[in-house]
Amino acid sequence: MQLGLIGLGKMGGNMAERVRRAGHEVIGYDRSPGKRDVDSLPALVEALSAPRVVWVMVPSGAPTRSTVEELAGLLEPGDVIVEGGNSKYTDDQIHDVMCREKGIGYVDAGVSGGVWGLENGYALMVGGTKEDVAKVQPVFDALKPPAPKDESGEEIPGAGFVHAGPVGAGHFSKMVHNGIEYALMQAYGEGYELLAAVDLIEDVPGVVKSWTQGTVIRSWLLDLLVRALDEDPGLDKISGYAEDSGEGRWTVEQAIENAVPMPTIAASLFARFSSRQEDSPTMKAVAALRNQFGGHAVQAVRKHEAERPA
């Protein structure tokens, strides 16, 4: 089939290549002239045969909203827009209403696989009607990983792809996936820190690597930690500053709205906030309180630091 793909960055570019390797035609558009096959969204739509499938793979928020709005004004009834970024599921529901008014289908696709997806495939969580998902299914089949097999050699159905529900279900599923990812990374990080903090352990990278076979905590994330430690055993080349991309916050917000206890994911999100503080106001207040009620010593800010402009 034909696919129009908007956004040819690290993820989008590799996805386009994987779809082409499966025998499909991909016509790509990107703001960068060196990557694109056409030089505008109208040219992309013109180059595709109806019914068209156009996959949007640009940063979430305003870039995605403006792209979907422009596409909705260019496409025709029967065409389908697939939104594959990390958008909030409520944005999908707004886009769906706008597209349905014009007879255009809308599918939201949560995509996981990162820079490794070209070779390994991408896990896909999609939302939309059965009819619209069916129009995109050849592309989903090209992108998803090969089906794993059980001990008898039979393929395990459903692994790597799910039609999760109506529009919004795909990105909601990906949101929860990323919230879990936050917590897993935090747990591995805390374990690494404790290993590195004691003199008893002489080979910290070796201990972490030993966990990758036969243990209940083995995972691809653990494999990636081993890779990072192989490259930099003490992680001396990297700062302990961790951003959050939004999904962790949205997961915690939904937990609150639905009264679902999520202490581990919430704590991992707050840990990322803490990583960005050079001198925590919270801990300053704690130190001041200990001094006030117990006369405990406090560490004064060094003079040249106190005089530094904010």
Side-chain angles (χ1 to χ4, degrees):
M1 64 174 286
Q2 266 189 334
L3 176 70
L5 201 152
I6 302 168
L8 302 171
K10 290 180 182 178
M11 284 280 284
N14 282 347
M15 290 167 64
E17 176 60 23
R18 188 171 173 89
V19 173
R20 288 188 177 113
R21 289 180 184 180
H24 304 295
E25 179 185 1
V26 179
I27 300 172
Y29 169 73
D30 193 275
R31 289 185 301 174
S32 174
K35 299 179 179 180
R36 63 197 186 193
D37 301 309
V38 292
D39 59 7
S40 68
L41 290 188
L44 175 66
V45 172
E46 182 66 26
L48 295 168
S49 301
R52 305 169 185 85
V53 174
V54 182
W55 191 304
V56 179
M57 204 70 190
V58 302
S60 61
T64 291
R65 287 192 289 269
S66 63
T67 302
V68 171
E69 287 171 5
E70 185 174 353
L71 274 178
L74 295 169
L75 294 174
E76 299 173 342
D79 295 343
V80 176
I81 296 173
V82 183
E83 207 288 271
N86 283 327
S87 293
K88 195 171 185 179
Y89 76 98
T90 49
D91 286 353
D92 294 313
Q93 293 167 338
I94 294 169
H95 293 156
D96 182 48
V97 171
M98 175 182 65
C99 289
R100 294 289 159 199
E101 291 174 349
K102 300 173 184 258
I104 299 167
Y106 186 91
V107 173
D108 61 295
V111 183
S112 181
V115 296
W116 304 90
L118 173 58
E119 301 301 331
N120 298 338
Y122 300 87
L124 301 165
M125 298 143 270
V126 307
T129 67
K130 290 182 179 180
E131 294 76 16
D132 289 335
V133 171
K135 291 179 182 178
V136 192
Q137 194 64 53
V139 174
F140 293 145
D141 290 340
L143 288 171
K144 71 182 183 181
K149 297 180 179 180
D150 61 22
E151 294 178 354
S152 67
E154 294 293 321
E155 290 189 354
I156 302 173
F161 172 84
V162 63
H163 180 189
V167 169
H171 279 144
F172 193 98
S173 300
K174 180 59 163 41
M175 174 192 75
V176 176
H177 165 283
N178 281 26
I180 294 169
E181 182 182 286
Y182 277 44
L184 289 172
M185 288 192 285
Q186 184 68 23
Y188 285 137
E190 291 174 4
Y192 165 78
E193 181 174 1
L194 181 56
L195 290 171
V198 300
D199 295 333
L200 183 64
I201 304 300
E202 296 178 349
D203 184 3
V204 173
V207 171
V208 175
K209 186 176 291 186
S210 76
W211 295 341
T212 63
Q213 298 295 324
T215 75
V216 296
I217 64 166
R218 64 188 185 275
S219 74
W220 185 49
L221 278 175
L222 187 62
D223 293 341
L224 294 179
L225 179 56
V226 169
R227 179 186 173 93
L229 291 171
D230 283 344
E231 296 172 354
D232 183 8
L235 301 182
D236 299 316
K237 299 175 184 177
I238 192 167
S239 167
Y241 181 106
E243 275 290 0
D244 67 286
S245 55
E247 294 93 341
R249 298 189 190 205
W250 302 337
T251 303
V252 173
E253 288 170 0
Q254 284 301 306
I256 294 168
E257 187 169 323
N258 291 280
V260 174
M262 274 192 175
T264 306
I265 293 176
S268 66
L269 174 65
F270 296 149
R272 294 197 182 192
F273 297 164
S274 296
S275 78
R276 302 168 208 165
Q277 296 180 314
E278 291 185 8
D279 197 6
S280 167
T282 297
M283 298 317 296
K284 283 185 176 184
V286 170
L289 286 168
R290 291 183 76 245
N291 177 259
Q292 289 293 323
F293 71 70
H296 301 289
V298 295
Q299 293 186 10
V301 177
R302 289 196 297 269
K303 185 173 185 296
H304 70 279
E305 291 179 342
E307 293 173 350
R308 253 187 340 204

